[in-house]
Amino acid sequence: MSDIPKGPAGIALAIADIQNQIFSLIEKSDSARCARVCRQWQETALDHVWSSMYSLIPLVQLLAPLELASSAGGKPNCPKSRLLKFSRNIRAKDWEKLMPYARRVRNLEIRLSETFSTKLDNSVFIELARCRRILSILPNLSALKVVRLPLYEHEGWPKHLFLFLHGGIQSLDLEIETVKQGDQALYLLFDDISEWCPMISELTINAGGDTIIVNFSISNFLSRLAYLKTFRINPCSLTQNVLNALASLQNLQTIQIIPIIFAYPPTKFQRLNTDGAFPQLKSIPLSGDLGSVCLLLGSPNAFQNLLELDLHDVDNHNEGTCELVHLYSLFNLIPRACPLLRRLAVKGNIVLEPQDEPILFIHAENLKPLTSLPHLEMLKLDLIHPIDITNGQIVDTFGKCNSLTTLVLSTKPLVWGFSTSLTLDVLLLLSEACPQLVELGLYVDAGVIPNTPDLLHVRGFRKLQILDLGASPIYDPENASLYLGSIIPSQCTFEVHSPPEMENEDMDVFFERWMEVKKLLPFFIQSHENSQKAIQALRQERDEQIGSLRVEMLAWRSRALGSETTAICHQF
């Protein structure tokens, strides 16, 4: 192993930041080869090789060779779940060999309970616990992820996990494989974590749909994590007990939801017991009964610093009128409960079957309280109830929101053929009233083409990146493309979606017409932009000519005044 050669290149390659940039772009196998190039690269290259580990096997086999464990009959275990054990006892000098590499590990991911995989036998962890020289075998570990953590008594993993826990861990991700008999083991595990890892700032708990076990064990655990900033959990596990435990945490800033694919009963919330709860919380997602969500948000002095609120799958099991009352209450409550809110998304359960009850609407006056939020940047409403609003009303309602960059209002109707008062003309009006929009989603009647005689002078949107017209009906693709081409810029992505309750033949016609719009749109956008550039060039040329004429007139006037002055002087 040699040193880096001298010279400008050698000086540059000796800088630690440059080495980190280089090794971050190559594979671990390449970093391992670089570690054998020279002494100055060795430390940085080895850090990149060992900093993130996705298996414990490369580490533990540095202590002693591994071999297949034997089953009860004395034969090697089944290949379906190969278990490895130490081939000999661990000696003191083995730890001296391990620790230079163990100290480099910053992130560790352990995958358990996987079939057709090679795993470590329980005897390995028993031997590690018996002869280890320090409390944690990975003293500089800062992020730990355990996938499919079993809680069975014979697995022993809730007890083995403490080998890796210490005060320096800041991020912990647990995917728990819960069982009905695992509540006591989970409680003990959480107790060990709160004792050994008090500095956790980022915590993820994924327990599938087993809310009973999680809520039984988690409340007392969460209340002891004073430095927690980010918390992720399943939506069905984010219950009132969990929120009560999180409410008093002074440093909590973000609550996030782990997506799940199965259905779960709606969550019922109540007012929080703590006055001034969630003092630093910036983002929270909620799902459940709409009336109880209003109760939660109405907690005294809570959510005062909230910036992002995501209400997804809000329950619609109430009668329609009752649900609308809760929705109106929510819109009126949010400006008072969350005065600093910037991003709001409300998504209800969509009903596809035609209802016997009359369709109930959300009107412009119901949305006006939301526009009183001074910093509102995003508003997305995807609700079961259609929004009845005209072109003029939507401009009057949202035209004063200078900070609004995203506006999406129910792009799918309750049933196919729902008549809306919005037409394509609303796009031109919004481009003038809200030119700062980056994303826009509306359900409009695209069959009504605005009568705009002079499209050449239409400026349209300049910052828009996404235009979503959802399931808007269309009848004249060519004229619609011509109009849209003068409104949206070239960088904008145009989207439509299949409407509910449509026959296959009608759906084919629907997509055929919109596909024609998508094909024609780039041509009309480019044509409009070229026309705009030509008009701008003509205006510039005109302004230059007018300017030169003014200069000539001023010069002629100056000469004329000079001649007149000279003549007067000669008279005297």
Side-chain angles (χ1 to χ4, degrees), residues 326-548:
H326 289 149
L327 196 60
Y328 300 158
S329 300
L330 176 69
F331 291 161
N332 284 281
L333 173 65
I334 286 177
R336 301 195 306 271
C338 315
L340 302 180
L341 196 68
R342 295 184 179 181
R343 295 176 291 277
L344 172 64
V346 184
K347 182 177 181 180
N349 292 328
I350 302 300
V351 176
L352 298 180
E353 294 82 9
Q355 302 297 301
D356 296 332
E357 296 82 4
I359 298 177
L360 302 174
F361 297 93
I362 298 173
H363 302 282
E365 57 268 20
N366 305 131
L367 301 177
K368 282 188 176 180
L370 297 177
T371 62
S372 64
L373 291 166
H375 308 291
L376 187 64
E377 297 175 359
M378 183 194 80
L379 177 61
K380 290 187 176 182
L381 302 180
D382 190 2
L383 302 166
I384 184 176
H385 302 288
I387 298 177
D388 184 21
I389 191 169
T390 64
N391 295 347
Q393 288 174 336
I394 197 172
V395 172
D396 292 340
T397 303
F398 298 104
K400 298 178 181 179
C401 299
N402 297 325
S403 58
L404 191 66
T405 59
T406 299
L407 177 62
V408 179
L409 302 179
S410 296
T411 57
K412 289 187 178 181
L414 183 65
V415 292
W416 169 241
F418 164 69
S419 177
T420 175
S421 301
L422 293 178
T423 64
L424 285 177
D425 196 31
V426 73
L427 301 179
L428 177 59
L429 298 175
L430 284 175
S431 69
E432 298 172 351
C434 306
Q436 73 280 1
L437 282 177
V438 175
E439 181 180 355
L440 178 62
L442 297 171
Y443 175 75
V444 303
D445 186 357
V448 180
I449 308 299
N451 185 18
T452 306
D454 192 3
L455 290 175
L456 289 177
H457 294 86
V458 172
R459 290 186 55 84
F461 293 102
R462 287 294 176 264
K463 300 180 180 180
L464 196 66
Q465 297 180 6
I466 299 176
L467 175 61
D468 185 359
L469 294 185
S472 301
I474 184 173
Y475 306 103
D476 188 352
E478 184 175 349
N479 285 325
S481 304
L482 178 62
Y483 183 78
L484 289 173
S486 63
I487 301 295
I488 62 178
S490 56
Q491 78 273 8
C492 181
T493 301
F494 181 71
E495 299 177 357
V496 291
H497 306 285
S498 59
E501 294 297 312
M502 179 184 281
E503 299 294 336
N504 291 335
E505 295 181 358
D506 294 334
M507 189 171 295
D508 292 340
V509 174
F510 172 85
F511 277 110
E512 182 181 349
R513 290 172 177 171
W514 278 119
M515 288 304 105
E516 185 177 351
V517 171
K518 285 190 174 183
K519 290 179 182 178
L520 295 173
L521 200 53
F523 170 77
F524 286 122
I525 291 176
Q526 188 63 43
S527 176
H528 182 75
E529 290 183 350
N530 291 339
S531 300
Q532 289 283 317
K533 292 178 181 178
I535 292 174
Q536 185 176 1
L538 290 173
R539 287 175 176 172
Q540 185 176 358
E541 183 180 354
R542 180 199 61 186
D543 293 340
E544 291 176 355
Q545 291 178 354
I546 292 175
S548 61

Side-chain angles (χ1 to χ4, degrees), residues 95-132:
W95 286 102
E96 296 177 1
K97 180 181 177 182
L98 171 69
M99 292 316 297
Y101 301 97
R103 289 191 179 96
R104 301 178 190 274
V105 180
R106 300 292 190 272
N107 307 292
L108 175 63
E109 180 176 328
I110 306 174
R111 292 188 173 269
L112 306 169
S113 300
E114 293 185 355
T115 57
F116 298 100
S117 63
T118 301
K119 299 181 292 185
L120 296 174
D121 188 58
N122 280 337
S123 62
V124 172
F125 299 99
I126 294 173
E127 181 69 8
L128 290 175
R130 182 189 65 82
C131 64
R132 72 187 189 277

